[in-house]
Amino acid sequence: MPCWVVANDFTVDGIYYNITSAKEHTVAVTKGTNKYVGSVVIPESVTYDGVTYSVTAIGDSALYDCSSLTSVTISNSVTTIGDKAFAGCESLSSVTIPDSVMTIGEGAFYGCKKLPSVTIPNSVTTIGEGAFYGCKKLTSITIPNSVTTIGDRAFYDCSSLPSIIIPNSVTTIGNSMFYGCSSLPSITIPNSVMTIGESAFYGCKKLTSITIPNSVTTIGESAFQSCKSLPSVTIPNSVTVIDKSTFSYCDVLTSVTIPNSVTTIGERVFEGCKNLTSI
């Protein structure tokens, strides 16, 4: 088994822990001398040296680069999945996230190339930046209405993702959020969203339909660049800024409707739109 040099407070049943509060008797799962392999079950509590501790977190980089880890079941005591907690777990094919979890950290599942599906429970309010970056086999994900924040690049290069529902609790489609989601055919943006970030849908090659609601005021740079199957776009009256390269290289784009509310159209917005006939 591969080794790495790390510090932890104790080990029980092959799982490494750090004490996060001696007073509250809480611990977080952490790195250990050996990498985690196979199936791992994170318990609700663990007893060490006569003291019972509640397991409340998967620490930052706790299972980072455990390339032989295949499945994880997380207990109902855990409230936080830390930054890069499972990043680089290339063989991870199953994860159970309980209703107790409120935060999924930055890059939490970065590069989990074999992860096919994730159900995010109603307790989660924040999905961190790059949380599912590079999850190339991800074909199903459920995002509940409890989620108010989804970080930039959250689903970057999830190239097998065929559909996604953005809850109406979200106000911003972050930068590069769906960059390279080349299997995504359509998307409905809820009325809660005010900003579509830079490169939000860049390279969504199969995107044929998108609904932009009247709540959106800004469409960021390269937001829909290289959406090569998108035939038409209607921009709502709420939009005031269309940033540069927003629709560049949308090869089959034939029609665009721009409302009177728009005061700024950036550089190269329609560059390479060789079939554009009506605007």
Side-chain angles (χ1 to χ4, degrees), residues 1 51 102 201 222 245:
M1 200 181 294
V51 179
M102 294 182 288
F201 298 95
S222 301
S245 301

Side-chain angles (χ1 to χ4, degrees), residues 49-107:
D49 201 19
V51 179
T52 299
Y53 297 90
S54 178
V55 182
T56 59
I58 312 295
D60 292 349
S61 303
L63 295 92
Y64 178 86
D65 199 31
C66 292
S67 57
S68 296
L69 182 72
T70 57
S71 70
V72 176
T73 301
I74 304 170
S75 74
N76 276 316
S77 57
V78 172
T79 60
T80 302
I81 297 175
D83 296 346
K84 298 182 181 178
F86 299 99
C89 294
E90 295 183 353
S91 298
L92 185 65
S93 60
S94 175
V95 61
T96 302
I97 303 173
D99 289 336
S100 54
V101 171
M102 294 182 288
T103 301
I104 297 174
E106 295 182 7

Side-chain angles (χ1 to χ4, degrees), residues 221-222 225 242-249 265-273:
E221 179 180 337
S222 301
Q225 184 170 338
I242 302 172
D243 214 332
K244 62 184 179 181
S245 301
T246 299
F247 298 102
S248 61
Y249 299 102
I265 298 175
E267 300 172 6
R268 301 184 300 278
V269 166
F270 300 105
E271 181 179 18
C273 295

Side-chain angles (χ1 to χ4, degrees), residues 8-17 31-33 36 46-48:
N8 55 81
D9 292 325
F10 63 85
T11 308
V12 176
D13 296 331
I15 299 177
Y16 301 88
Y17 300 96
K31 293 179 182 178
T33 305
Y36 299 96
V46 62
T47 300
Y48 176 75

Side-chain angles (χ1 to χ4, degrees), residues 35-47:
K35 292 189 178 183
Y36 299 96
V37 299
S39 297
V40 172
V41 177
I42 309 298
E44 288 191 20
S45 62
V46 62
T47 300

Side-chain angles (χ1 to χ4, degrees), residues 102-122:
M102 294 182 288
T103 301
I104 297 174
E106 295 182 7
F109 296 95
Y110 181 108
C112 292
K113 296 179 181 179
K114 293 186 178 180
L115 190 65
S117 64
V118 177
T119 298
I120 299 171
N122 284 320

Side-chain angles (χ1 to χ4, degrees), residues 153-202:
R153 294 176 289 280
F155 302 101
Y156 189 109
D157 200 25
C158 291
S159 54
S160 297
L161 191 66
S163 65
I164 191 164
I165 297 174
I166 303 169
N168 56 20
S169 50
V170 172
T171 59
T172 300
I173 306 295
N175 296 338
S176 301
M177 185 178 289
F178 298 103
Y179 187 114
C181 291
S182 53
S183 296
L184 196 66
S186 65
I187 193 158
T188 299
I189 299 172
N191 286 321
S192 55
V193 170
M194 295 181 287
T195 301
I196 298 174
E198 295 179 7
S199 302
F201 298 95
Y202 189 115

